[in-house]
Amino acid sequence: MTGPAQSGEDLYAGLDERQRYELDRRCDYHPPKNLETAEAHAAWRKTIKGVMAEAMRSLPAGRETSMVLTALDDALMYGNAAIARPPMSGGRKVGH
């Protein structure tokens, strides 16, 4: 697979400012800005881990349980992305 990054082209060619911001927001690494952010990640991981442990304990083995665990993997990933990434331009406020 070759794209602009591999061919030396400008990644941002043809993108407006909003699209450039969104590309960076989605793809760049966003290290924790401070202790509060790091703690938010840890709390989210602990919450999902607890639900995942309960699913492993109480649900019978099978495809559906596997899908529950996969959905929780997704929730962990998306929750951490929501904490790490800068807000979307025009996005909703926390708690809405």
Side-chain angles (χ1 to χ4, degrees), residues 68-93:
V68 166
L69 296 173
T70 298
L72 289 167
D73 282 335
D74 289 346
L76 178 62
M77 177 191 63
Y78 287 124
N80 276 322
I83 294 165
R85 291 176 176 170
M88 289 174 52
S89 59
R92 68 176 183 80
K93 303 280 189 260

PDB file of all heavy atoms in Angstrom, residues 68-93:
ATOM      1  N   VAL A  68     -19.019  -9.617  23.096  1.00  0.00           N
ATOM      2  CA  VAL A  68     -19.077  -8.678  24.223  1.00  0.00           C
ATOM      3  C   VAL A  68     -17.671  -8.202  24.565  1.00  0.00           C
ATOM      4  O   VAL A  68     -17.428  -7.003  24.737  1.00  0.00           O
ATOM      5  CB  VAL A  68     -19.740  -9.327  25.466  1.00  0.00           C
ATOM      6  CG1 VAL A  68     -19.503  -8.495  26.718  1.00  0.00           C
ATOM      7  CG2 VAL A  68     -21.227  -9.534  25.231  1.00  0.00           C
ATOM      8  N   LEU A  69     -16.727  -9.123  24.655  1.00  0.00           N
ATOM      9  CA  LEU A  69     -15.349  -8.758  24.986  1.00  0.00           C
ATOM     10  C   LEU A  69     -14.728  -7.878  23.904  1.00  0.00           C
ATOM     11  O   LEU A  69     -14.010  -6.922  24.208  1.00  0.00           O
ATOM     12  CB  LEU A  69     -14.509 -10.014  25.234  1.00  0.00           C
ATOM     13  CG  LEU A  69     -14.959 -10.852  26.445  1.00  0.00           C
ATOM     14  CD1 LEU A  69     -14.168 -12.152  26.508  1.00  0.00           C
ATOM     15  CD2 LEU A  69     -14.856 -10.076  27.738  1.00  0.00           C
ATOM     16  N   THR A  70     -15.035  -8.174  22.648  1.00  0.00           N
ATOM     17  CA  THR A  70     -14.541  -7.341  21.558  1.00  0.00           C
ATOM     18  C   THR A  70     -15.134  -5.937  21.638  1.00  0.00           C
ATOM     19  O   THR A  70     -14.430  -4.935  21.446  1.00  0.00           O
ATOM     20  CB  THR A  70     -14.861  -7.988  20.196  1.00  0.00           C
ATOM     21  OG1 THR A  70     -14.191  -9.251  20.126  1.00  0.00           O
ATOM     22  CG2 THR A  70     -14.406  -7.108  19.041  1.00  0.00           C
ATOM     23  N   ALA A  71     -16.421  -5.848  21.949  1.00  0.00           N
ATOM     24  CA  ALA A  71     -17.062  -4.537  22.085  1.00  0.00           C
ATOM     25  C   ALA A  71     -16.438  -3.755  23.234  1.00  0.00           C
ATOM     26  O   ALA A  71     -16.264  -2.530  23.145  1.00  0.00           O
ATOM     27  CB  ALA A  71     -18.571  -4.701  22.296  1.00  0.00           C
ATOM     28  N   LEU A  72     -16.083  -4.443  24.314  1.00  0.00           N
ATOM     29  CA  LEU A  72     -15.423  -3.764  25.427  1.00  0.00           C
ATOM     30  C   LEU A  72     -14.007  -3.327  25.050  1.00  0.00           C
ATOM     31  O   LEU A  72     -13.554  -2.263  25.489  1.00  0.00           O
ATOM     32  CB  LEU A  72     -15.428  -4.655  26.670  1.00  0.00           C
ATOM     33  CG  LEU A  72     -16.808  -4.829  27.305  1.00  0.00           C
ATOM     34  CD1 LEU A  72     -16.796  -5.953  28.332  1.00  0.00           C
ATOM     35  CD2 LEU A  72     -17.298  -3.528  27.918  1.00  0.00           C
ATOM     36  N   ASP A  73     -13.312  -4.129  24.240  1.00  0.00           N
ATOM     37  CA  ASP A  73     -12.018  -3.696  23.697  1.00  0.00           C
ATOM     38  C   ASP A  73     -12.195  -2.389  22.924  1.00  0.00           C
ATOM     39  O   ASP A  73     -11.407  -1.452  23.067  1.00  0.00           O
ATOM     40  CB  ASP A  73     -11.435  -4.735  22.735  1.00  0.00           C
ATOM     41  CG  ASP A  73     -10.795  -5.926  23.412  1.00  0.00           C
ATOM     42  OD1 ASP A  73     -10.357  -5.794  24.573  1.00  0.00           O
ATOM     43  OD2 ASP A  73     -10.718  -6.982  22.766  1.00  0.00           O
ATOM     44  N   ASP A  74     -13.235  -2.350  22.095  1.00  0.00           N
ATOM     45  CA  ASP A  74     -13.519  -1.136  21.322  1.00  0.00           C
ATOM     46  C   ASP A  74     -13.822   0.038  22.246  1.00  0.00           C
ATOM     47  O   ASP A  74     -13.341   1.152  22.027  1.00  0.00           O
ATOM     48  CB  ASP A  74     -14.700  -1.355  20.375  1.00  0.00           C
ATOM     49  CG  ASP A  74     -14.375  -2.268  19.205  1.00  0.00           C
ATOM     50  OD1 ASP A  74     -13.171  -2.528  18.952  1.00  0.00           O
ATOM     51  OD2 ASP A  74     -15.327  -2.729  18.552  1.00  0.00           O
ATOM     52  N   ALA A  75     -14.637  -0.202  23.277  1.00  0.00           N
ATOM     53  CA  ALA A  75     -14.983   0.861  24.221  1.00  0.00           C
ATOM     54  C   ALA A  75     -13.727   1.388  24.918  1.00  0.00           C
ATOM     55  O   ALA A  75     -13.584   2.602  25.121  1.00  0.00           O
ATOM     56  CB  ALA A  75     -15.991   0.356  25.245  1.00  0.00           C
ATOM     57  N   LEU A  76     -12.812   0.493  25.276  1.00  0.00           N
ATOM     58  CA  LEU A  76     -11.561   0.907  25.906  1.00  0.00           C
ATOM     59  C   LEU A  76     -10.762   1.803  24.958  1.00  0.00           C
ATOM     60  O   LEU A  76     -10.307   2.885  25.341  1.00  0.00           O
ATOM     61  CB  LEU A  76     -10.738  -0.324  26.297  1.00  0.00           C
ATOM     62  CG  LEU A  76      -9.377  -0.049  26.931  1.00  0.00           C
ATOM     63  CD1 LEU A  76      -9.520   0.712  28.240  1.00  0.00           C
ATOM     64  CD2 LEU A  76      -8.632  -1.355  27.140  1.00  0.00           C
ATOM     65  N   MET A  77     -10.639   1.359  23.708  1.00  0.00           N
ATOM     66  CA  MET A  77      -9.879   2.124  22.733  1.00  0.00           C
ATOM     67  C   MET A  77     -10.517   3.492  22.469  1.00  0.00           C
ATOM     68  O   MET A  77      -9.839   4.518  22.502  1.00  0.00           O
ATOM     69  CB  MET A  77      -9.792   1.346  21.416  1.00  0.00           C
ATOM     70  CG  MET A  77      -9.084   2.105  20.309  1.00  0.00           C
ATOM     71  SD  MET A  77      -9.240   1.350  18.686  1.00  0.00           S
ATOM     72  CE  MET A  77     -10.993   1.443  18.393  1.00  0.00           C
ATOM     73  N   TYR A  78     -11.822   3.506  22.225  1.00  0.00           N
ATOM     74  CA  TYR A  78     -12.480   4.776  21.904  1.00  0.00           C
ATOM     75  C   TYR A  78     -12.508   5.711  23.115  1.00  0.00           C
ATOM     76  O   TYR A  78     -12.383   6.924  22.968  1.00  0.00           O
ATOM     77  CB  TYR A  78     -13.893   4.537  21.371  1.00  0.00           C
ATOM     78  CG  TYR A  78     -13.898   3.979  19.973  1.00  0.00           C
ATOM     79  CD1 TYR A  78     -14.541   2.786  19.687  1.00  0.00           C
ATOM     80  CD2 TYR A  78     -13.250   4.644  18.937  1.00  0.00           C
ATOM     81  CE1 TYR A  78     -14.544   2.272  18.406  1.00  0.00           C
ATOM     82  CE2 TYR A  78     -13.252   4.131  17.655  1.00  0.00           C
ATOM     83  CZ  TYR A  78     -13.899   2.946  17.388  1.00  0.00           C
ATOM     84  OH  TYR A  78     -13.904   2.438  16.116  1.00  0.00           O
ATOM     85  N   GLY A  79     -12.680   5.167  24.302  1.00  0.00           N
ATOM     86  CA  GLY A  79     -12.647   6.007  25.496  1.00  0.00           C
ATOM     87  C   GLY A  79     -11.283   6.651  25.692  1.00  0.00           C
ATOM     88  O   GLY A  79     -11.179   7.845  25.982  1.00  0.00           O
ATOM     89  N   ASN A  80     -10.219   5.857  25.509  1.00  0.00           N
ATOM     90  CA  ASN A  80      -8.875   6.414  25.632  1.00  0.00           C
ATOM     91  C   ASN A  80      -8.603   7.443  24.541  1.00  0.00           C
ATOM     92  O   ASN A  80      -7.970   8.470  24.789  1.00  0.00           O
ATOM     93  CB  ASN A  80      -7.821   5.303  25.609  1.00  0.00           C
ATOM     94  CG  ASN A  80      -7.635   4.688  26.971  1.00  0.00           C
ATOM     95  OD1 ASN A  80      -7.667   5.373  27.988  1.00  0.00           O
ATOM     96  ND2 ASN A  80      -7.446   3.394  27.004  1.00  0.00           N
ATOM     97  N   ALA A  81      -9.102   7.197  23.337  1.00  0.00           N
ATOM     98  CA  ALA A  81      -8.944   8.186  22.265  1.00  0.00           C
ATOM     99  C   ALA A  81      -9.684   9.468  22.617  1.00  0.00           C
ATOM    100  O   ALA A  81      -9.176  10.568  22.385  1.00  0.00           O
ATOM    101  CB  ALA A  81      -9.446   7.621  20.937  1.00  0.00           C
ATOM    102  N   ALA A  82     -10.864   9.346  23.192  1.00  0.00           N
ATOM    103  CA  ALA A  82     -11.633  10.538  23.568  1.00  0.00           C
ATOM    104  C   ALA A  82     -10.902  11.363  24.627  1.00  0.00           C
ATOM    105  O   ALA A  82     -10.942  12.594  24.593  1.00  0.00           O
ATOM    106  CB  ALA A  82     -13.007  10.123  24.084  1.00  0.00           C
ATOM    107  N   ILE A  83     -10.215  10.677  25.540  1.00  0.00           N
ATOM    108  CA  ILE A  83      -9.459  11.381  26.569  1.00  0.00           C
ATOM    109  C   ILE A  83      -8.219  12.034  25.971  1.00  0.00           C
ATOM    110  O   ILE A  83      -7.892  13.179  26.281  1.00  0.00           O
ATOM    111  CB  ILE A  83      -9.061  10.408  27.710  1.00  0.00           C
ATOM    112  CG1 ILE A  83     -10.312   9.921  28.447  1.00  0.00           C
ATOM    113  CG2 ILE A  83      -8.074  11.060  28.672  1.00  0.00           C
ATOM    114  CD1 ILE A  83     -10.069   8.708  29.335  1.00  0.00           C
ATOM    115  N   ALA A  84      -7.531  11.322  25.080  1.00  0.00           N
ATOM    116  CA  ALA A  84      -6.233  11.765  24.578  1.00  0.00           C
ATOM    117  C   ALA A  84      -6.312  12.827  23.499  1.00  0.00           C
ATOM    118  O   ALA A  84      -5.507  13.754  23.477  1.00  0.00           O
ATOM    119  CB  ALA A  84      -5.452  10.566  24.039  1.00  0.00           C
ATOM    120  N   ARG A  85      -7.261  12.671  22.594  1.00  0.00           N
ATOM    121  CA  ARG A  85      -7.308  13.576  21.441  1.00  0.00           C
ATOM    122  C   ARG A  85      -7.836  14.946  21.818  1.00  0.00           C
ATOM    123  O   ARG A  85      -8.685  15.067  22.703  1.00  0.00           O
ATOM    124  CB  ARG A  85      -8.230  13.007  20.370  1.00  0.00           C
ATOM    125  CG  ARG A  85      -7.718  11.777  19.698  1.00  0.00           C
ATOM    126  CD  ARG A  85      -8.760  11.261  18.735  1.00  0.00           C
ATOM    127  NE  ARG A  85      -8.278  10.109  17.995  1.00  0.00           N
ATOM    128  CZ  ARG A  85      -9.047   9.355  17.228  1.00  0.00           C
ATOM    129  NH1 ARG A  85     -10.337   9.625  17.105  1.00  0.00           N
ATOM    130  NH2 ARG A  85      -8.549   8.336  16.588  1.00  0.00           N
ATOM    131  N   PRO A  86      -7.372  15.967  21.116  1.00  0.00           N
ATOM    132  CA  PRO A  86      -7.975  17.283  21.308  1.00  0.00           C
ATOM    133  C   PRO A  86      -9.442  17.218  20.872  1.00  0.00           C
ATOM    134  O   PRO A  86      -9.815  16.341  20.092  1.00  0.00           O
ATOM    135  CB  PRO A  86      -7.183  18.205  20.375  1.00  0.00           C
ATOM    136  CG  PRO A  86      -6.068  17.420  19.835  1.00  0.00           C
ATOM    137  CD  PRO A  86      -6.305  15.984  20.126  1.00  0.00           C
ATOM    138  N   PRO A  87     -10.276  18.117  21.359  1.00  0.00           N
ATOM    139  CA  PRO A  87     -11.697  18.060  20.998  1.00  0.00           C
ATOM    140  C   PRO A  87     -11.911  18.333  19.513  1.00  0.00           C
ATOM    141  O   PRO A  87     -11.101  18.997  18.866  1.00  0.00           O
ATOM    142  CB  PRO A  87     -12.330  19.154  21.851  1.00  0.00           C
ATOM    143  CG  PRO A  87     -11.220  20.049  22.234  1.00  0.00           C
ATOM    144  CD  PRO A  87      -9.968  19.228  22.233  1.00  0.00           C
ATOM    145  N   MET A  88     -13.020  17.809  18.997  1.00  0.00           N
ATOM    146  CA  MET A  88     -13.411  18.106  17.621  1.00  0.00           C
ATOM    147  C   MET A  88     -13.818  19.561  17.558  1.00  0.00           C
ATOM    148  O   MET A  88     -14.377  20.094  18.513  1.00  0.00           O
ATOM    149  CB  MET A  88     -14.621  17.262  17.205  1.00  0.00           C
ATOM    150  CG  MET A  88     -14.305  15.806  17.014  1.00  0.00           C
ATOM    151  SD  MET A  88     -15.779  14.794  16.680  1.00  0.00           S
ATOM    152  CE  MET A  88     -16.543  15.643  15.331  1.00  0.00           C
ATOM    153  N   SER A  89     -13.536  20.191  16.441  1.00  0.00           N
ATOM    154  CA  SER A  89     -14.012  21.573  16.302  1.00  0.00           C
ATOM    155  C   SER A  89     -15.529  21.536  16.236  1.00  0.00           C
ATOM    156  O   SER A  89     -16.102  20.767  15.473  1.00  0.00           O
ATOM    157  CB  SER A  89     -13.411  22.221  15.056  1.00  0.00           C
ATOM    158  OG  SER A  89     -13.757  21.487  13.908  1.00  0.00           O
ATOM    159  N   GLY A  90     -16.174  22.306  17.095  1.00  0.00           N
ATOM    160  CA  GLY A  90     -17.641  22.324  17.143  1.00  0.00           C
ATOM    161  C   GLY A  90     -18.236  21.103  17.820  1.00  0.00           C
ATOM    162  O   GLY A  90     -19.419  20.851  17.720  1.00  0.00           O
ATOM    163  N   GLY A  91     -17.397  20.318  18.518  1.00  0.00           N
ATOM    164  CA  GLY A  91     -17.878  19.101  19.181  1.00  0.00           C
ATOM    165  C   GLY A  91     -18.675  19.415  20.428  1.00  0.00           C
ATOM    166  O   GLY A  91     -18.718  20.543  20.913  1.00  0.00           O
ATOM    167  N   ARG A  92     -19.313  18.383  20.971  1.00  0.00           N
ATOM    168  CA  ARG A  92     -20.163  18.568  22.149  1.00  0.00           C
ATOM    169  C   ARG A  92     -19.312  18.756  23.408  1.00  0.00           C
ATOM    170  O   ARG A  92     -18.145  18.404  23.448  1.00  0.00           O
ATOM    171  CB  ARG A  92     -21.094  17.385  22.315  1.00  0.00           C
ATOM    172  CG  ARG A  92     -20.400  16.080  22.676  1.00  0.00           C
ATOM    173  CD  ARG A  92     -21.420  14.980  22.921  1.00  0.00           C
ATOM    174  NE  ARG A  92     -20.796  13.758  23.318  1.00  0.00           N
ATOM    175  CZ  ARG A  92     -20.361  13.487  24.548  1.00  0.00           C
ATOM    176  NH1 ARG A  92     -20.491  14.369  25.502  1.00  0.00           N
ATOM    177  NH2 ARG A  92     -19.804  12.336  24.834  1.00  0.00           N
ATOM    178  N   LYS A  93     -19.923  19.290  24.417  1.00  0.00           N
ATOM    179  CA  LYS A  93     -19.267  19.501  25.696  1.00  0.00           C
ATOM    180  C   LYS A  93     -19.245  18.164  26.478  1.00  0.00           C
ATOM    181  O   LYS A  93     -20.063  17.294  26.250  1.00  0.00           O
ATOM    182  CB  LYS A  93     -20.015  20.543  26.522  1.00  0.00           C
ATOM    183  CG  LYS A  93     -20.168  21.877  25.814  1.00  0.00           C
ATOM    184  CD  LYS A  93     -18.897  22.687  25.909  1.00  0.00           C
ATOM    185  CE  LYS A  93     -19.097  24.080  25.406  1.00  0.00           C
ATOM    186  NZ  LYS A  93     -18.648  24.316  24.076  1.00  0.00           N
TER     187      LYS A  93
END
